[in-house]
Amino acid sequence: QVTLKESGPALVKPTQTLTLTCTFSGFSLSTSGMRVSWIRQPPGKALEWLARIDWDDDKFYSTSLKTRLTISKDTSKNQVVLTMTNMDPVDTATYYCARSYGSWYSDFDYWGQGTLVTVSS
Amino acid sequence: NFMLAQPHSVSESPGKTVTISCTRSSGSIASNYVLWYQQRPGSSPTTVIYEDNQRPSGVPDRFSGSIDSSSNSASLTISGLKTEDEADYYCQSYDTSNWVFGGGTKLTVL
């Protein structure tokens, strides 16, 4: 059974750095073709893809946010970590991690429940 | 980077058919697969269409996907609408290193 769960602070102040952890089970990120992405959704708004890390440690970032994002993995702990620097109130959103497996264009077939992060002083 | 444009909302009656469009701003819609996700309130998204027109197991055949190169758009069609289909629907595609979601369409079944 594949599960993913996001964890991190519910509230961060403007200019702070956000660190989110995705802890998963039911698959290994060392398996060829396995990938984990971070996706966010501001309240009442659309989904926005942020970053992806692949089984071979390839990393991809949203063009608009790449200067603020870092994604990493700890295969032994079954975790993927996303850091986002210089947080702003517009970054208030539910942050999801999601798995994709197989082809470059495979769907996000399993999602975490999401974690709401509010940016406010 | 390209964008995917969707209508903000659509509504239709139970039993009818509705089509949601997704128009790619630049680059050919046919050059990269389009996927569709359903998101019910308070829940994470689930895939209803992948690779333009393929349904994951468990998704009823009332859901279908297509692409139209002449309008550079993709479409999600839901036939025999049920109240349980009421949700937000997002198209998604990609290029060499970016994954892009459309703005989402709220489907109301009334």
Side-chain angles (χ1 to χ4, degrees), chain B:
Chain B
N1 273 14
F2 65 94
M3 295 188 295
L4 297 170
Q6 300 181 235
H8 182 70
S9 63
V10 296
S11 62
E12 189 52 271
S13 303
K16 300 291 190 179
T17 296
V18 70
T19 297
I20 299 171
S21 63
C22 170
T23 302
R24 181 165 172 156
S25 62
S26 60
S28 172
I29 193 73
S31 62
N32 306 101
Y33 285 123
V34 176
L35 303 87
W36 291 90
Y37 298 87
Q38 177 192 69
Q39 185 180 32
R40 295 193 172 104
S43 296
S44 302
T46 60
T47 309
V48 292
I49 293 289
Y50 67 98
E51 292 182 12
D52 294 341
N53 55 20
Q54 302 298 302
R55 280 189 312 278
S57 60
V59 173
D61 61 6
R62 301 185 296 106
F63 290 78
S64 63
S66 63
I67 63 167
D68 179 358
S69 295
S70 65
S71 59
N72 214 35
S73 65
S75 294
L76 172 69
T77 298
I78 311 171
S79 59
L81 276 169
K82 300 185 177 185
T83 55
E84 68 203 46
D85 298 330
E86 188 161 290
D88 293 327
Y89 291 85
Y90 293 90
C91 60
Q92 179 245 310
S93 192
Y94 55 92
D95 57 20
T96 51
S97 59
N98 271 286
W99 285 260
V100 177
F101 287 95
T105 298
K106 180 176 181 59
L107 169 62
T108 301
V109 182
L110 36 65

